[in-house]
Amino acid sequence: MAQSKSKSVLLLCGDFMEDYEAMVPFQALIAYGVSVDAVCPEKKAGDICRTAIHDLLGHQTYSESRGHNFTLNATFDEIDIDKYDGLVLPGGRAPEYLAINSSVQSLVRKFSDSRKPIASVCHGQLILAAAGLVRGRKCTAYPAVGPVLTAAGASWIEPESMAACVVDGNIITAATYEGHPEFIQLFVKALGGNITGSDKRILFLCGDYMEDYEVAVPFQSLQALGCHVDAVCPKKKAGDSCPTAVHDFEGDQTYSEKPGHNFTLTADFEGLDASSYDALVIPGGRAPEYLALNARVIAIVKEFMAARKPVASICHGQQILSAAGVLQGRKCTAYPAVKLNVELSGATWLEPDPIDRCFTDGNLVTGAAWPGHPQFISQLMALLGIQVAF
């Protein structure tokens, strides 16, 4: 459960910002009870920014493919700086052009002059450099940004890993989205947040072509709270990866699909002791179609439900719950196309209207799709007794 005293944050967006680096902090902070406005120069509330999926696939630099469409919820030209308690700068390719925008430079300087927390990741530090904010400050970034930061007078900290984060005064910097858990936690603390009840162990049931956001956003959001979070997949072990799918709503009669990030698993499926975890999370996407056929997956779900431990399932994840026979007499929602599975399993269907609406029934949290992550994560936090107070 999140408790907030009117904390408000600005997320500075641009076309082809990195997909995770925009959505993960955006939805995580909202789940914690923070109000987040996402803006982009020359765009208004309701407009979209294209995003880019950057991944390290063994080449000399990262790969890029198209990510989700990110919908802005505020208008850049109407920003009142005094309203906000902090600023987040995602990376990707957007900072290259945002850094030369005088309005952006002025905006960032005002946050700095007010000593408000500024959290910048990956290539976002190009904006800090252009605004003249890094001279004499310790900071890190994606390694290729190092020469620019050095030239701008920064005390460059070479990232020992892509999860590296550095704090210097009111400026928090991270190398890439791999560092989100620490990056977001540091930002929450800089906003005056206090996290309690997070000594929990949480298990994610993963599979190939699970939805990209539906695994990464709750996974990193829970890690940022201080939870121990493990991701497993049948026939795979710690260090292996699962390809993900980007499911988006682009005006067609159903969602579109594009390749997502590769998601790295953290534990072995074989020999897993499910009883050592306090909660279970089931992402959606296409993975649940085949995971629902796996006897061990079904046994794990039954074990959590029988123990009345929190189970949070989103989108197509409810196909697994249905196959496990644990929905009889329960109330739940899902992606609308999964309604048949839910009703045939003996559950009462709860209409997800709007699509971001989530529901809790006893130990069960269900959501329809990734736009509902803030409610989905917040409701799971409530079941686990996790609070963020400001």
Side-chain angles (χ1 to χ4, degrees):
M1 182 168 57
Q3 299 177 344
S4 178
K5 295 181 180 178
S6 302
K7 291 295 180 181
S8 186
V9 167
L10 189 67
L11 183 77
L12 184 58
C13 301
D15 285 335
F16 298 105
M17 59 189 173
E18 212 288 326
D19 201 0
Y20 279 175
E21 290 170 5
M23 188 57 82
V24 175
F26 179 76
Q27 291 192 316
L29 290 168
I30 295 174
Y32 304 159
V34 177
S35 173
V36 186
D37 284 345
V39 298
C40 176
E42 301 179 11
K43 296 192 181 189
K44 60 184 185 301
D47 290 346
I48 65 167
C49 283
R50 309 287 189 189
T51 71
I53 289 174
H54 288 169
D55 215 345
L56 298 172
L57 302 178
H59 306 297
Q60 291 184 342
T61 190
Y62 53 86
S63 63
E64 177 174 309
S65 58
R66 279 283 302 279
H68 298 80
N69 293 320
F70 186 98
T71 303
L72 304 170
N73 63 353
T75 300
F76 185 86
D77 291 340
E78 298 174 358
I79 293 172
D80 176 6
I81 300 295
D82 293 336
K83 169 185 173 182
Y84 299 101
D85 301 292
L87 174 67
V88 178
L89 304 176
R93 286 195 291 109
E96 294 177 346
Y97 80 88
L98 292 176
I100 59 175
N101 183 305
S102 60
S103 295
V104 168
Q105 294 175 12
S106 175
L107 172 75
V108 176
R109 288 191 195 104
K110 288 177 181 177
F111 274 92
S112 180
D113 291 344
S114 300
R115 303 298 296 171
K116 293 178 179 179
I118 300 173
S120 182
V121 63
C122 198
H123 287 71
Q125 288 81 303
L126 292 172
I127 298 173
L128 299 180
L133 303 184
V134 298
R135 181 167 296 279
R137 307 294 288 270
K138 296 177 183 177
C139 59
T140 193
Y142 187 70
V145 181
V148 175
L149 293 176
T150 300
S155 176
W156 168 248
I157 306 297
E158 186 72 26
E160 294 183 2
S161 75
M162 291 300 98
C165 295
V166 172
V167 180
D168 189 337
N170 66 316
I171 295 180
I172 301 163
T173 53
T176 71
Y177 55 76
E178 291 184 21
H180 273 157
E182 182 181 5
F183 178 72
I184 295 170
Q185 186 178 96
L186 289 168
F187 187 59
V188 167
K189 290 181 178 178
L191 292 171
N194 181 48
I195 302 167
T196 58
S198 60
D199 56 338
K200 304 297 190 298
R201 290 173 53 83
I202 302 169
L203 182 66
F204 275 61
L205 276 179
C206 300
D208 290 346
Y209 299 105
M210 57 190 167
E211 211 287 327
D212 198 3
Y213 278 166
E214 290 172 5
V215 61
V217 174
F219 190 88
Q220 291 193 317
S221 297
L222 292 164
Q223 285 184 315
L225 292 169
C227 298
H228 176 93
V229 190
D230 276 332
V232 298
C233 176
K235 301 180 182 179
K236 296 192 181 187
K237 60 184 185 299
D240 290 347
S241 65
C242 287
T244 69
V246 169
H247 287 170
D248 215 345
F249 309 98
E250 300 181 293
D252 304 303
Q253 291 184 340
T254 189
Y255 54 84
S256 62
E257 178 170 309
K258 297 183 284 285
H261 297 81
N262 287 325
F263 186 86
T264 302
L265 303 169
T266 62
D268 297 349
F269 187 82
E270 188 69 28
L272 177 73
D273 179 11
S275 68
S276 69
Y277 295 92
D278 301 296
L280 177 68
V281 178
I282 306 175
R286 287 195 291 106
E289 293 180 342
Y290 81 88
L291 291 177
L293 306 176
N294 184 291
R296 178 61 180 138
V297 167
I298 296 302
I300 290 171
V301 172
K302 287 182 175 179
E303 180 178 340
F304 275 90
M305 291 297 286
R308 305 292 296 171
K309 293 181 178 179
V311 173
S313 181
I314 193 164
C315 197
H316 287 71
Q318 286 79 306
Q319 291 175 320
I320 297 175
L321 300 180
S322 176
V326 297
L327 292 180
Q328 181 72 37
R330 306 305 291 265
K331 298 176 181 178
C332 70
T333 193
Y335 186 69
V338 185
K339 180 179 180 180
L340 179 62
N341 301 68
V342 169
E343 291 187 328
L344 289 175
S345 65
T348 298
W349 173 255
L350 300 176
E351 193 66 35
D353 185 17
I355 198 69
D356 63 352
R357 190 173 181 189
C358 297
F359 298 90
T360 298
D361 180 20
N363 67 316
L364 180 63
V365 177
T366 53
W370 56 257
H373 277 150
Q375 288 187 34
F376 183 73
I377 296 164
S378 180
Q379 290 180 29
L380 177 58
M381 289 169 60
L383 290 181
L384 288 167
I386 301 172
Q387 295 188 346
V388 183
F390 292 92

